[in-house]
Amino acid sequence: MSAACATTSIPSWTKLSMPEATRGLLDTSVVVDHDVVDPSSLPDESAISAVTLAELAAGPHATDDEEERARRQDRLQWAAATWDALPFDGESARMFGRVFAATRRSGRSSRTRMADLLITSTAAANGLSLYTRNPSDLTGLEDIVTVVAV
């Protein structure tokens, strides 16, 4: 048998493909409820936006309840220690124009959900799916970003 006609047998175990790791941006609702979210519903690799970090930083100041303020401060510190937040950068700003326009086209108010739209823009600019507890808040944005309900 000539070398040109020889075939090499490939072990069957090499033909198995490993599932591709999922990557995604967690919106603020997922971070806030992280302790009650089913871990299997989250991506293998996750990130948060600087906008989420800003919302978490405001959280302790938005309540007069001392225990709740302490819980919110703990959550902020935990999130800041767990993730390096993705910045709202120039590409995110450009993507925000598309997100804003799509929101308006769908008949939804863009002003009342500004933080959500900024987080969505960050996910889209970084090519990440957006994991959220509030998927209905992102209706009309499916052509821009993949929204994953958690």
Side-chain angles (χ1 to χ4, degrees):
M1 181 186 254
S2 72
C5 294
T7 59
T8 307
S9 161
I10 299 174
S12 62
W13 60 267
T14 62
K15 295 179 184 175
L16 296 175
S17 62
M18 296 298 292
E20 191 172 320
T22 56
R23 298 174 62 229
L25 187 73
L26 308 182
D27 84 351
T28 308
S29 66
V30 175
V31 175
V32 167
D33 291 341
H34 201 273
D35 56 333
V36 297
V37 169
D38 178 4
S40 68
S41 67
L42 298 176
D44 299 319
E45 299 175 25
S46 61
I48 64 170
S49 167
V51 177
T52 289
L53 209 50
E55 286 189 294
L56 293 175
H61 305 288
T63 183
D64 293 327
D65 182 294
E66 290 184 24
E67 287 183 34
E68 180 61 21
R69 185 178 305 118
R71 276 192 294 276
R72 291 178 183 191
Q73 186 65 36
D74 289 345
R75 187 177 301 119
L76 166 62
Q77 291 173 344
W78 168 77
T82 302
W83 293 280
D84 289 327
L86 295 176
F88 186 82
D89 58 10
E91 185 60 28
S92 299
R94 285 185 287 280
M95 191 58 68
F96 179 75
R98 292 184 59 203
V99 169
F100 183 90
T103 301
R104 295 286 300 264
R105 268 195 312 277
S106 70
R108 300 177 63 87
S109 170
S110 52
R111 295 195 182 272
T112 59
R113 305 301 295 177
M114 187 62 70
D116 292 337
L117 302 183
L118 295 170
I119 293 167
T120 302
S121 301
T122 304
N126 286 278
L128 298 172
S129 296
L130 181 61
Y131 287 70
T132 182
R133 305 273 283 166
N134 308 306
S136 63
D137 289 350
L138 304 170
T139 301
L141 301 177
E142 300 83 2
D143 291 340
I144 297 172
V145 66
T146 299
V147 176
V148 180
V150 176

